[in-house]
Amino acid sequence: MRDIGIDVNPPEGDWDGDDNCPFHGSLRLRGQIIEGNIARVGMIKTVVVERQQTRQMPKYERYEKRTHRYLAHLPSCIGEIEVGDRVRIMECRPLSKKVTFCVIEKGGGSQ
């Protein structure tokens, strides 16, 4: 298993030979690290991660909720993931038209 340069728990699952795996394949990670919840698991090797953010609106002296959704590649070595699980994703090269993130850790962690 390869060191990806970030302090994360190593995955416990088996690797199926996918080249787009940061731990066993040749996928390089760079850029932002985002923590969020799994919103949808319906595609092959891809999940939708949702992040909620609260933003202050000074003009109206109120707060608003904003939701960002990211499509992320799910390597086979991460294991089974269900809707509602907390994960960390990290930016990588574009793997398809909209997938530019990869799941690096299940269960979140300290950031």
Side-chain angles (χ1 to χ4, degrees):
M1 187 161 45
R2 208 172 59 133
D3 180 28
I4 62 171
I6 295 125
D7 186 27
V8 295
N9 298 327
E12 300 105 21
D14 294 330
W15 182 53
D16 68 349
D18 181 20
D19 202 34
N20 290 329
C21 176
F23 300 101
H24 300 98
S26 61
L27 184 68
R28 304 279 184 220
L29 299 175
R30 74 250 186 340
Q32 11 178 1
I33 299 174
I34 296 170
E35 200 169 314
N37 294 323
I38 299 290
R40 186 170 153 222
V41 183
M43 298 166 275
I44 300 171
K45 297 183 180 181
T46 306
V47 293
V48 177
V49 179
E50 203 170 67
R51 181 182 68 162
Q52 296 258 338
Q53 195 174 19
T54 305
R55 182 173 165 247
Q56 183 183 13
M57 299 178 67
K59 179 179 177 182
Y60 301 109
E61 298 178 358
R62 298 217 180 350
Y63 292 90
E64 70 175 352
K65 278 200 277 188
R66 292 208 169 180
T67 304
H68 298 277
R69 293 169 70 98
Y70 304 93
L71 270 72
H73 176 70
L74 179 64
S76 61
C77 59
I78 297 291
E80 291 294 320
I81 285 187
E82 298 175 1
V83 174
D85 287 351
R86 193 115 177 109
V87 294
R88 287 173 72 188
I89 59 175
M90 190 165 180
E91 193 174 4
C92 63
R93 65 178 174 83
L95 300 175
S96 69
K97 182 179 176 180
K98 295 183 180 181
V99 178
T100 56
F101 286 88
C102 183
V103 178
I104 57 170
E105 188 176 21
K106 180 179 173 184
S110 61
Q111 188 173 352

